[in-house]
Amino acid sequence: MLSWTGWLFALAAAIFATILAAAANQPMLQMAAVAAVSIAIALIAIREHRQLNDVGAPATAVASSTARYLALIWAWGGLTLLVTYLFVIDAHWREWWQFFLGFAFAALASIGFSFLLDRDRAAGRTDATLVKFGRILLKAQIVGMVAGIISLFVDEKFPRAETHADWAGCNIFFFGALAIAAISLDAIRSPANA
């Protein structure tokens, strides 16, 4: 598992790679950076799920790991939107801040959930209700991410040309949603959660 320093470094590197690509005002380059960041985080999360299952970790350990990686995706998406639309892209997309707030809330809620699970496990307790609630949230999140991905295609917002102010945000939405859905689905299928 990553240390807090590792988490902060990963978050900073992910944000930097994404905004650097956006600064070039090249949607395809930014899309590639967003895809690489999202895929990397999802694969690392899934690998950690496998490692936890291999050592027979309890469901709370898998749930806590899942929540931390989901927090990383949400925080990366939110902070990338903030920096991109405040400082990098000279586009007037009025709704960016609403998505930033939503992503920030989801990141804080996810990391808070992880802390609750870790606190209980450190005290030798297992809150089955909390784990069950987490599974329900994961299922709802998968449905939400699938609906979001479909809506991007239906509304013709992905892929998006630089002539639209929200092009960078739409790339983040698409690949972030894929990563969140993949991490959530893998956690639900985990033997520790069966």
Side-chain angles (χ1 to χ4, degrees):
M1 290 196 307
L2 287 174
S3 67
W4 281 109
T5 304
W7 279 98
L8 293 175
F9 178 77
L11 180 60
I15 292 168
F16 181 74
T18 309
I19 62 169
L20 190 62
N25 204 30
Q26 296 291 321
M28 297 307 284
L29 178 63
Q30 194 258 4
M31 183 188 300
V34 169
V37 166
S38 299
I39 291 167
I41 294 171
L43 290 176
I44 293 168
I46 291 168
R47 186 189 73 195
E48 188 169 307
H49 289 162
R50 299 289 188 266
Q51 291 171 340
L52 290 168
N53 286 314
D54 288 347
V55 298
T60 54
V62 175
S64 177
S65 169
T66 301
R68 280 192 306 275
Y69 282 102
L70 292 175
L72 182 60
I73 291 282
W74 286 117
W76 160 75
L79 291 171
T80 301
L81 285 174
L82 175 75
V83 173
T84 298
Y85 285 98
L86 272 184
F87 305 111
V88 176
I89 294 179
D90 187 27
H92 300 289
W93 181 40
R94 293 178 301 208
E95 294 86 6
W96 72 265
W97 67 271
Q98 297 161 352
F99 288 102
F100 164 73
L101 290 177
F103 286 17
F105 175 78
L108 291 172
S110 296
I111 203 69
F113 189 76
S114 176
F115 280 133
L116 286 175
L117 291 165
D118 288 343
R119 184 196 63 196
D120 285 352
R121 198 169 64 252
R125 296 186 310 259
T126 300
D127 188 344
T129 304
L130 192 59
V131 173
K132 184 178 180 179
F133 180 68
R135 285 182 57 78
I136 292 167
L137 289 176
L138 285 176
K139 290 175 183 177
Q141 195 164 238
I142 291 169
V143 170
M145 295 302 109
V146 170
I149 290 168
I150 291 169
S151 74
L152 285 170
F153 285 111
V154 169
D155 294 341
E156 298 179 357
K157 291 187 177 251
F158 184 82
R160 198 79 149 154
E162 71 272 6
T163 55
H164 295 85
D166 63 349
W167 65 267
C170 289
N171 289 338
I172 293 166
F173 300 156
F174 180 79
F175 288 104
L178 284 178
I180 288 169
I183 293 167
S184 300
L185 186 60
D186 187 69
I188 286 174
R189 295 176 50 223
S190 168
N193 285 326

